[in-house]
């Protein structure tokens, strides 16, 4: 029963975060988004979300949507489908 409640609770938290993102009207900051948040974008599943984060960790923050083209599995159709949902904040790295 405890395992079931923990699993249900984790799913509820995940779904709540999806709803907040979906209805917030704000763009998603690709430089700070979690894998779960990235998966709310059109065409982005678990593997692509992980690829975005791995690329970001290795190469630093994205400056524009064109930078995303360097991520394996991300093409112009994904960028076009999500163009109004993408934001590129927190680019300073000292």
């Amino acid at each position: 029963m405890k395992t079931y409640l923990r699993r249900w609770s984790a799913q509820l938290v995940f779904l709540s975060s999806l709803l907040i993102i979906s209805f917030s009207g704000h763009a998603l900051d690709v430089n700070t988004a979690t894998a779960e948040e990235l998966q709310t974008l059109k065409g982005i599943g678990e593997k692509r979300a992980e690829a975005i984060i791995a690329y970001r960790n290795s190469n630093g923050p994205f400056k524009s949507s064109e930078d995303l083209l360097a991520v394996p599995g991300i093409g112009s159709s994904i960028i076009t489908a999500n163009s109004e949902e993408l934001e590129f904040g927190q680019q300073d790295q000292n």
Side-chain angles (χ1 to χ4, degrees):
M1 182 71 165
K2 287 182 183 180
T3 302
Y4 173 78
L5 289 175
R6 267 189 247 135
R7 196 174 304 148
W8 185 81
S9 178
Q11 290 174 347
L12 184 60
V13 169
F14 175 72
L15 291 174
S16 297
S17 66
L18 290 179
L19 287 173
I20 290 168
I21 292 166
S22 297
F23 294 111
S24 67
H26 297 288
L28 181 65
D29 188 342
V30 178
N31 291 317
T32 59
T34 64
E36 290 81 13
E37 292 169 333
L38 289 168
Q39 289 176 56
T40 65
L41 298 170
K42 296 175 189 104
I44 304 295
E46 183 179 349
K47 289 186 181 199
R48 286 185 177 143
E50 290 172 1
I52 291 169
I53 291 172
Y55 188 91
R56 179 178 75 196
N57 290 341
S58 295
N59 300 287
F62 297 99
K63 294 178 181 70
S64 69
S65 57
E66 289 78 29
D67 291 347
L68 284 170
L69 293 172
V71 178
I74 305 297
S76 59
S77 61
I78 289 176
I79 293 170
T80 300
N82 294 291
S83 63
E84 294 184 19
E85 305 298 322
L86 302 175
E87 187 174 278
F88 301 90
Q90 296 193 2
Q91 297 174 21
D92 291 335
Q93 286 199 353
N94 296 329

